[in-house]
Amino acid sequence: MSRDADVIVLAPYSDEVMEPLTRQDPERSWRGRFEPVQGQDGGFGYGWALEFDKAYGRSGLLADLEALSWPNPLRV
């Protein structure tokens, strides 16, 4: 059984909210950074993805995402 995990965040108009999570931050409890997901039209915009494997902890990620100030939380 694999312990790999992909996390995808779909959140329209949330570039500013997600921007800090697209950079490495050694102070976070989880490791890695989100990458923009390319849409079908070739552009980037509403989605970000992060892949975890056994080498990277993901503890605390959901709490960090829940704590963000989403512009439209019902659409995340």
Side-chain angles (χ1 to χ4, degrees):
M1 183 164 138
S2 174
R3 296 204 184 269
D4 294 346
D6 293 324
V7 176
I8 299 171
V9 175
L10 300 175
Y13 312 108
S14 299
D15 292 336
E16 286 183 30
V17 174
M18 285 298 294
E19 195 279 327
L21 303 182
T22 64
R23 292 182 268 126
Q24 294 287 354
D25 183 352
E27 300 297 317
R28 288 194 290 249
S29 62
W30 50 276
R31 301 291 176 247
R33 63 188 183 95
F34 281 90
E35 297 284 341
V37 175
Q38 188 172 11
Q40 290 180 342
D41 62 358
F44 294 92
Y46 299 132
W48 296 265
L50 174 60
E51 183 178 335
F52 291 101
D53 62 23
K54 295 175 194 168
Y56 296 104
R58 53 190 179 257
S59 176
L61 172 63
L62 292 179
D64 285 353
L65 290 171
E66 289 173 349
L68 294 174
S69 297
W70 298 102
N72 193 344
L74 297 177
R75 295 187 68 191
V76 176

Coordinates of all heavy atoms in Angstrom, one line a residue:
M1 N 0.8 -1.2 0.0 CA 0.0 0.0 0.0 C 0.9 1.2 0.0 O 1.8 1.4 0.8 CB -0.9 0.0 1.2 CG -1.8 1.1 1.3 SD -3.1 0.7 2.5 CE -3.3 2.2 3.3
S2 N 0.6 2.2 -0.8 CA 1.4 3.4 -1.0 C 1.0 4.4 0.1 O -0.2 4.5 0.5 CB 1.1 4.0 -2.4 OG 1.8 5.2 -2.4
R3 N 1.9 5.1 0.5 CA 1.7 6.2 1.5 C 1.8 7.6 0.8 O 1.9 8.6 1.4 CB 2.6 6.2 2.7 CG 2.5 4.9 3.5 CD 3.0 5.1 4.9 NE 2.9 3.9 5.6 CZ 1.8 3.6 6.4 NH1 0.8 4.3 6.4 NH2 1.9 2.5 7.1
D4 N 1.8 7.6 -0.5 CA 1.8 8.8 -1.3 C 0.5 9.4 -1.2 O -0.6 8.8 -1.1 CB 2.2 8.5 -2.8 CG 3.6 8.0 -3.0 OD1 4.4 8.1 -2.0 OD2 3.9 7.5 -4.0
A5 N 0.4 10.8 -1.3 CA -0.8 11.5 -1.3 C -0.7 12.7 -2.2 O 0.3 13.4 -2.2 CB -1.2 11.9 0.1
D6 N -1.7 13.0 -3.0 CA -1.8 14.2 -3.7 C -2.9 15.1 -3.1 O -4.0 14.6 -2.8 CB -2.2 13.9 -5.2 CG -1.1 13.2 -6.0 OD1 0.1 13.5 -5.7 OD2 -1.4 12.4 -6.8
V7 N -2.6 16.3 -2.9 CA -3.6 17.2 -2.3 C -3.9 18.3 -3.4 O -2.9 18.9 -3.9 CB -3.1 17.9 -1.1 CG1 -4.1 19.0 -0.6 CG2 -2.8 16.9 0.0
I8 N -5.1 18.4 -3.8 CA -5.5 19.4 -4.8 C -6.5 20.4 -4.1 O -7.5 20.0 -3.5 CB -6.2 18.8 -6.0 CG1 -5.2 17.8 -6.6 CG2 -6.7 19.8 -7.0 CD1 -5.8 16.9 -7.7
V9 N -6.2 21.7 -4.2 CA -7.1 22.7 -3.7 C -7.7 23.4 -4.9 O -7.0 24.0 -5.8 CB -6.3 23.7 -2.8 CG1 -7.2 24.9 -2.4 CG2 -5.7 23.0 -1.6
L10 N -9.0 23.4 -5.0 CA -9.7 24.2 -6.0 C -10.4 25.3 -5.3 O -11.3 25.1 -4.4 CB -10.8 23.3 -6.7 CG -10.2 22.1 -7.4 CD1 -11.3 21.2 -8.0 CD2 -9.2 22.5 -8.5
A11 N -10.1 26.5 -5.6 CA -10.6 27.7 -4.9 C -10.5 28.9 -5.8 O -9.5 29.6 -6.0 CB -9.8 28.0 -3.6
P12 N -11.7 29.3 -6.5 CA -11.7 30.4 -7.4 C -11.3 31.7 -6.7 O -11.7 31.9 -5.5 CB -13.1 30.5 -7.9 CG -13.7 29.1 -7.6 CD -12.9 28.6 -6.4
Y13 N -10.6 32.5 -7.4 CA -10.2 33.9 -7.0 C -9.4 33.9 -5.6 O -9.6 34.7 -4.8 CB -11.4 34.8 -6.8 CG -12.3 34.7 -8.1 CD1 -13.5 34.1 -8.0 CD2 -11.9 35.3 -9.3 CE1 -14.3 34.0 -9.2 CE2 -12.6 35.2 -10.4 CZ -13.9 34.5 -10.4 OH -14.6 34.4 -11.5
S14 N -8.5 32.9 -5.5 CA -7.8 32.7 -4.2 C -6.3 32.8 -4.4 O -5.5 32.3 -3.6 CB -8.2 31.4 -3.6 OG -9.5 31.4 -3.3
D15 N -5.8 33.4 -5.5 CA -4.4 33.6 -5.8 C -3.7 34.2 -4.6 O -2.6 33.7 -4.2 CB -4.1 34.4 -7.0 CG -4.6 33.7 -8.3 OD1 -4.7 32.5 -8.3 OD2 -4.9 34.4 -9.3
E16 N -4.2 35.2 -4.0 CA -3.5 35.9 -2.9 C -3.4 35.0 -1.7 O -2.4 35.0 -1.0 CB -4.2 37.2 -2.6 CG -3.9 38.3 -3.6 CD -4.5 39.6 -3.1 OE1 -4.6 39.9 -1.9 OE2 -4.9 40.4 -4.0
V17 N -4.5 34.3 -1.4 CA -4.5 33.4 -0.3 C -3.5 32.2 -0.4 O -2.8 31.9 0.5 CB -6.0 32.8 -0.1 CG1 -6.0 31.8 1.1 CG2 -6.9 34.0 0.2
M18 N -3.5 31.7 -1.6 CA -2.6 30.5 -1.9 C -1.1 30.9 -2.1 O -0.3 30.1 -1.9 CB -3.1 29.7 -3.1 CG -4.3 28.9 -2.8 SD -4.1 27.6 -1.5 CE -2.9 26.6 -2.3
E19 N -0.9 32.1 -2.4 CA 0.5 32.5 -2.8 C 1.6 32.1 -1.7 O 2.6 31.6 -2.1 CB 0.6 34.0 -3.1 CG 1.8 34.5 -3.8 CD 3.0 34.7 -2.8 OE1 2.8 35.0 -1.7 OE2 4.1 34.4 -3.3
P20 N 1.3 32.4 -0.4 CA 2.4 31.9 0.5 C 2.6 30.4 0.5 O 3.7 30.0 0.9 CB 1.8 32.4 1.9 CG 0.8 33.4 1.6 CD 0.3 33.1 0.2
L21 N 1.6 29.7 0.2 CA 1.8 28.2 0.1 C 2.5 27.7 -1.1 O 2.7 26.5 -1.2 CB 0.4 27.5 0.3 CG -0.4 27.9 1.6 CD1 -1.7 27.1 1.6 CD2 0.4 27.7 2.8
T22 N 2.8 28.6 -2.0 CA 3.5 28.2 -3.2 C 5.0 28.4 -3.0 O 5.8 28.2 -4.0 CB 3.0 29.0 -4.5 OG1 3.3 30.4 -4.3 CG2 1.6 28.8 -4.8
R23 N 5.4 28.8 -1.8 CA 6.8 28.9 -1.5 C 7.2 28.0 -0.4 O 6.4 27.7 0.5 CB 7.1 30.4 -1.0 CG 6.9 31.4 -2.1 CD 7.2 32.8 -1.6 NE 6.0 33.4 -1.1 CZ 5.8 33.9 0.1 NH1 6.7 34.0 0.9 NH2 4.6 34.5 0.4
Q24 N 8.4 27.5 -0.4 CA 8.9 26.7 0.7 C 8.9 27.5 2.0 O 9.2 28.7 2.0 CB 10.3 26.2 0.4 CG 10.4 25.3 -0.8 CD 9.9 23.9 -0.5 OE1 9.5 23.5 0.6 NE2 9.8 23.1 -1.5
D25 N 8.6 26.9 3.1 CA 8.6 27.5 4.4 C 9.0 26.5 5.5 O 8.2 25.7 5.8 CB 7.3 28.1 4.7 CG 7.2 28.9 6.0 OD1 8.3 28.9 6.8 OD2 6.2 29.5 6.3
P26 N 10.3 26.6 5.9 CA 10.7 25.6 6.9 C 10.0 25.7 8.3 O 10.1 24.8 9.1 CB 12.2 25.9 7.1 CG 12.4 27.3 6.6 CD 11.3 27.6 5.6
E27 N 9.2 26.8 8.5 CA 8.5 26.9 9.8 C 7.2 26.1 9.8 O 6.6 25.9 10.8 CB 8.2 28.4 10.0 CG 9.5 29.3 10.1 CD 10.3 28.9 11.3 OE1 9.8 28.6 12.4 OE2 11.6 28.8 11.1
R28 N 6.7 25.7 8.6 CA 5.5 24.9 8.6 C 5.7 23.5 9.1 O 6.8 22.9 9.0 CB 5.0 24.8 7.1 CG 4.4 26.1 6.6 CD 3.6 25.9 5.4 NE 4.4 25.5 4.2 CZ 4.6 26.3 3.2 NH1 4.0 27.5 3.1 NH2 5.3 25.9 2.2
S29 N 4.6 22.9 9.6 CA 4.7 21.5 10.1 C 4.7 20.5 9.0 O 5.1 19.4 9.1 CB 3.6 21.2 11.0 OG 2.3 21.3 10.3
W30 N 4.3 20.9 7.8 CA 4.4 20.1 6.6 C 5.4 20.6 5.6 O 5.8 21.7 5.7 CB 3.0 20.0 6.0 CG 2.3 21.3 5.7 CD1 1.5 22.0 6.6 CD2 2.3 22.0 4.5 NE1 1.1 23.1 6.0 CE2 1.5 23.2 4.7 CE3 2.9 21.8 3.3 CZ2 1.4 24.2 3.7 CZ3 2.7 22.8 2.3 CH2 1.9 23.9 2.5
R31 N 5.8 19.7 4.7 CA 6.9 20.1 3.8 C 6.4 20.2 2.4 O 5.4 19.4 2.0 CB 8.0 19.1 3.8 CG 8.6 19.0 5.2 CD 9.4 20.2 5.5 NE 9.9 20.1 6.9 CZ 9.5 20.9 7.9 NH1 8.6 21.8 7.7 NH2 10.1 20.8 9.1
G32 N 6.9 21.0 1.6 CA 6.6 21.1 0.2 C 5.9 22.5 -0.1 O 5.9 23.4 0.7
R33 N 5.5 22.6 -1.3 CA 4.8 23.8 -1.8 C 3.8 23.5 -2.9 O 4.0 22.5 -3.6 CB 5.8 24.9 -2.2 CG 6.6 24.5 -3.5 CD 7.7 25.5 -3.7 NE 8.4 25.2 -4.9 CZ 8.1 25.7 -6.1 NH1 7.1 26.5 -6.3 NH2 8.8 25.3 -7.2
F34 N 2.7 24.2 -2.9 CA 1.7 24.0 -3.9 C 2.2 24.6 -5.2 O 2.8 25.6 -5.3 CB 0.4 24.6 -3.5 CG -0.4 23.8 -2.5 CD1 -0.2 24.0 -1.1 CD2 -1.3 22.9 -2.9 CE1 -0.9 23.3 -0.2 CE2 -2.0 22.2 -2.0 CZ -1.8 22.3 -0.6
E35 N 1.8 23.9 -6.3 CA 2.0 24.3 -7.7 C 0.7 24.6 -8.4 O -0.3 23.9 -8.1 CB 2.7 23.2 -8.5 CG 4.1 22.8 -8.0 CD 5.2 23.9 -8.3 OE1 5.0 24.7 -9.2 OE2 6.2 23.8 -7.7
P36 N 0.6 25.7 -9.2 CA -0.6 26.0 -9.9 C -1.0 24.8 -10.8 O -0.1 24.2 -11.4 CB -0.3 27.3 -10.7 CG 0.9 27.8 -10.0 CD 1.7 26.7 -9.4
V37 N -2.2 24.5 -11.0 CA -2.7 23.5 -11.9 C -3.2 24.2 -13.1 O -4.0 25.1 -13.1 CB -3.9 22.7 -11.2 CG1 -4.4 21.7 -12.2 CG2 -3.4 22.0 -10.0
Q38 N -2.7 23.7 -14.3 CA -3.1 24.2 -15.5 C -4.5 23.8 -15.9 O -4.8 22.6 -15.8 CB -2.1 23.8 -16.6 CG -2.3 24.5 -17.9 CD -1.2 24.2 -18.9 OE1 -0.4 23.4 -18.7 NE2 -1.2 25.0 -20.0
G39 N -5.3 24.7 -16.3 CA -6.7 24.4 -16.7 C -6.8 23.9 -18.1 O -5.8 23.9 -18.9
Q40 N -8.0 23.4 -18.5 CA -8.2 22.9 -19.9 C -7.9 23.9 -21.0 O -7.5 23.6 -22.1 CB -9.6 22.3 -20.0 CG -9.8 21.1 -19.2 CD -11.2 20.6 -19.4 OE1 -12.1 21.3 -19.8 NE2 -11.4 19.3 -19.0
D41 N -8.1 25.2 -20.6 CA -7.9 26.3 -21.6 C -6.4 26.6 -21.7 O -6.0 27.6 -22.4 CB -8.7 27.5 -21.3 CG -8.4 28.1 -19.9 OD1 -7.5 27.5 -19.2 OD2 -9.0 29.1 -19.6
G42 N -5.5 26.0 -20.9 CA -4.1 26.3 -21.0 C -3.7 27.3 -20.0 O -2.5 27.5 -19.8
G43 N -4.6 27.9 -19.3 CA -4.3 28.9 -18.3 C -4.2 28.3 -16.9 O -4.6 27.2 -16.7
F44 N -3.7 29.1 -16.0 CA -3.7 28.8 -14.6 C -4.7 29.6 -13.9 O -5.1 30.7 -14.3 CB -2.3 29.0 -14.0 CG -1.2 28.1 -14.6 CD1 -0.5 28.6 -15.7 CD2 -1.0 26.9 -14.1 CE1 0.5 27.8 -16.3 CE2 0.0 26.1 -14.7 CZ 0.7 26.5 -15.8
G45 N -5.2 29.1 -12.7 CA -6.1 30.0 -12.0 C -6.8 29.5 -10.8 O -6.6 30.0 -9.7
Y46 N -7.5 28.4 -10.9 CA -8.4 28.0 -9.8 C -7.9 26.9 -8.9 O -8.5 26.5 -8.0 CB -9.8 27.7 -10.2 CG -10.5 28.8 -10.9 CD1 -11.1 28.7 -12.1 CD2 -10.5 30.1 -10.3 CE1 -11.8 29.7 -12.7 CE2 -11.2 31.1 -10.9 CZ -11.8 30.9 -12.1 OH -12.4 32.0 -12.7
G47 N -6.8 26.3 -9.3 CA -6.3 25.1 -8.6 C -4.8 25.1 -8.3 O -4.0 25.6 -9.1
W48 N -4.5 24.4 -7.3 CA -3.1 24.2 -6.8 C -3.0 22.7 -6.4 O -3.9 22.2 -5.8 CB -2.8 25.1 -5.7 CG -2.8 26.5 -6.1 CD1 -1.8 27.3 -6.5 CD2 -4.0 27.4 -6.1 NE1 -2.2 28.6 -6.8 CE2 -3.6 28.6 -6.6 CE3 -5.3 27.2 -5.8 CZ2 -4.4 29.7 -6.7 CZ3 -6.2 28.2 -6.0 CH2 -5.8 29.5 -6.4
A49 N -1.8 22.1 -6.6 CA -1.6 20.7 -6.2 C -0.3 20.6 -5.5 O 0.7 21.4 -5.7 CB -1.6 19.9 -7.5
L50 N -0.2 19.6 -4.6 CA 1.0 19.3 -3.9 C 1.0 17.8 -3.7 O 0.0 17.1 -3.4 CB 0.9 20.0 -2.5 CG 1.9 19.6 -1.5 CD1 3.3 20.0 -1.9 CD2 1.6 20.3 -0.2
E51 N 2.2 17.2 -4.0 CA 2.3 15.7 -3.9 C 3.2 15.4 -2.7 O 4.3 16.0 -2.5 CB 3.0 15.2 -5.1 CG 3.1 13.7 -5.1 CD 3.7 13.1 -6.4 OE1 3.5 13.8 -7.4 OE2 4.3 12.0 -6.3
F52 N 2.8 14.5 -1.8 CA 3.5 14.1 -0.7 C 4.0 12.6 -0.9 O 3.2 11.9 -1.5 CB 2.7 14.1 0.6 CG 2.4 15.5 1.1 CD1 1.1 16.0 0.8 CD2 3.3 16.2 1.8 CE1 0.8 17.3 1.3 CE2 3.0 17.5 2.3 CZ 1.7 18.0 2.0
D53 N 5.2 12.3 -0.5 CA 5.6 10.9 -0.4 C 6.0 10.6 1.0 O 5.9 11.4 1.9 CB 6.6 10.6 -1.5 CG 7.9 11.4 -1.3 OD1 8.2 11.8 -0.2 OD2 8.6 11.5 -2.3
K54 N 6.6 9.4 1.1 CA 7.0 9.0 2.5 C 8.0 9.9 3.1 O 8.1 10.0 4.3 CB 7.6 7.6 2.4 CG 6.6 6.5 1.9 CD 7.3 5.2 1.8 CE 6.3 4.3 1.0 NZ 7.0 3.1 0.6
A55 N 8.8 10.6 2.3 CA 9.8 11.5 2.9 C 9.3 12.8 3.4 O 10.0 13.4 4.2 CB 10.9 11.8 1.8
Y56 N 8.1 13.2 3.1 CA 7.6 14.4 3.5 C 6.4 14.3 4.4 O 5.4 13.6 4.1 CB 7.2 15.3 2.3 CG 8.3 15.6 1.4 CD1 8.5 15.0 0.2 CD2 9.3 16.6 1.8 CE1 9.6 15.3 -0.6 CE2 10.3 16.9 1.0 CZ 10.5 16.3 -0.2 OH 11.5 16.6 -1.0
G57 N 6.4 14.9 5.6 CA 5.3 14.9 6.5 C 4.2 15.8 6.0 O 4.4 16.8 5.4
R58 N 2.9 15.4 6.2 CA 1.8 16.3 5.8 C 1.0 16.7 7.0 O -0.1 17.2 6.9 CB 1.0 15.6 4.7 CG 0.5 14.2 5.1 CD -0.1 13.5 3.8 NE -0.5 12.2 4.1 CZ 0.2 11.1 3.8 NH1 1.3 11.2 3.1 NH2 -0.3 9.9 4.1
S59 N 1.5 16.4 8.2 CA 0.8 16.7 9.4 C 0.6 18.2 9.5 O 1.5 19.0 9.4 CB 1.5 16.2 10.6 OG 0.9 16.6 11.8
G60 N -0.6 18.6 9.8 CA -0.9 20.0 10.0 C -1.4 20.7 8.7 O -1.9 21.9 8.8
L61 N -1.3 20.1 7.6 CA -1.7 20.7 6.3 C -3.2 21.2 6.3 O -3.5 22.3 6.0 CB -1.5 19.8 5.1 CG -2.0 20.3 3.8 CD1 -1.3 21.6 3.4 CD2 -1.8 19.3 2.7
L62 N -4.1 20.3 6.7 CA -5.5 20.6 6.7 C -5.8 21.8 7.6 O -6.6 22.6 7.3 CB -6.4 19.4 7.0 CG -6.4 18.3 5.9 CD1 -7.2 17.1 6.3 CD2 -6.8 18.9 4.5
A63 N -5.2 21.8 8.8 CA -5.5 22.9 9.8 C -5.0 24.2 9.2 O -5.6 25.2 9.3 CB -4.8 22.6 11.1
D64 N -3.8 24.1 8.5 CA -3.3 25.4 7.8 C -4.3 25.9 6.8 O -4.5 27.1 6.7 CB -1.9 25.2 7.3 CG -0.9 25.1 8.3 OD1 -1.2 25.3 9.5 OD2 0.3 24.8 8.0
L65 N -4.8 24.9 5.9 CA -5.7 25.3 4.9 C -7.0 25.9 5.5 O -7.6 26.9 5.0 CB -6.0 24.2 4.0 CG -4.9 23.7 3.1 CD1 -5.3 22.4 2.4 CD2 -4.5 24.8 2.1
E66 N -7.5 25.3 6.5 CA -8.8 25.7 7.2 C -8.6 27.1 7.8 O -9.6 27.9 7.9 CB -9.2 24.7 8.3 CG -9.7 23.4 7.7 CD -10.0 22.4 8.8 OE1 -9.6 22.6 10.0 OE2 -10.6 21.4 8.5
A67 N -7.4 27.5 8.2 CA -7.2 28.7 8.9 C -7.0 29.9 7.9 O -7.0 31.1 8.4 CB -5.9 28.6 9.8
L68 N -6.9 29.7 6.6 CA -6.7 30.7 5.7 C -8.0 31.6 5.5 O -9.1 31.1 5.7 CB -6.3 30.2 4.3 CG -4.9 29.5 4.3 CD1 -4.7 28.9 3.0 CD2 -3.8 30.5 4.7
S69 N -7.8 32.8 5.1 CA -9.0 33.7 4.9 C -9.4 33.6 3.4 O -9.0 34.4 2.6 CB -8.5 35.2 5.2 OG -8.2 35.3 6.5
W70 N -10.2 32.6 3.1 CA -10.7 32.4 1.8 C -11.7 33.5 1.4 O -12.6 33.8 2.2 CB -11.4 31.0 1.7 CG -10.4 29.9 2.0 CD1 -10.4 29.2 3.2 CD2 -9.4 29.4 1.2 NE1 -9.4 28.3 3.1 CE2 -8.7 28.4 1.9 CE3 -8.9 29.7 -0.1 CZ2 -7.7 27.7 1.3 CZ3 -7.9 29.0 -0.7 CH2 -7.3 28.0 0.1
P71 N -11.6 34.0 0.2 CA -12.6 35.1 -0.3 C -14.0 34.5 -0.4 O -15.0 35.2 -0.2 CB -12.0 35.5 -1.6 CG -11.1 34.5 -2.1 CD -10.6 33.8 -0.8
N72 N -14.1 33.2 -0.7 CA -15.4 32.6 -0.8 C -15.3 31.2 -0.3 O -15.2 30.2 -1.0 CB -15.9 32.6 -2.3 CG -17.3 32.2 -2.4 OD1 -18.0 31.7 -1.5 ND2 -17.9 32.5 -3.6
P73 N -15.3 31.0 1.0 CA -15.1 29.7 1.7 C -16.0 28.6 1.2 O -15.6 27.4 1.3 CB -15.2 30.0 3.2 CG -15.6 31.4 3.3 CD -15.6 32.0 2.0
L74 N -17.2 28.9 0.8 CA -18.1 27.8 0.4 C -17.7 27.2 -1.0 O -18.3 26.2 -1.4 CB -19.5 28.4 0.3 CG -20.1 28.8 1.7 CD1 -21.5 29.4 1.5 CD2 -20.1 27.7 2.7
R75 N -16.8 27.9 -1.7 CA -16.4 27.4 -3.0 C -15.0 26.7 -3.0 O -14.4 26.4 -4.0 CB -16.4 28.5 -4.0 CG -17.8 29.0 -4.2 CD -17.9 30.0 -5.3 NE -17.6 29.3 -6.6 CZ -17.4 30.0 -7.7 NH1 -17.4 31.3 -7.8 NH2 -17.2 29.3 -8.8
V76 N -14.4 26.5 -1.8 CA -13.1 25.9 -1.7 C -13.3 24.4 -1.7 O -14.2 23.8 -0.9 CB -12.4 26.3 -0.4 CG1 -11.1 25.5 -0.2 CG2 -12.1 27.8 -0.4

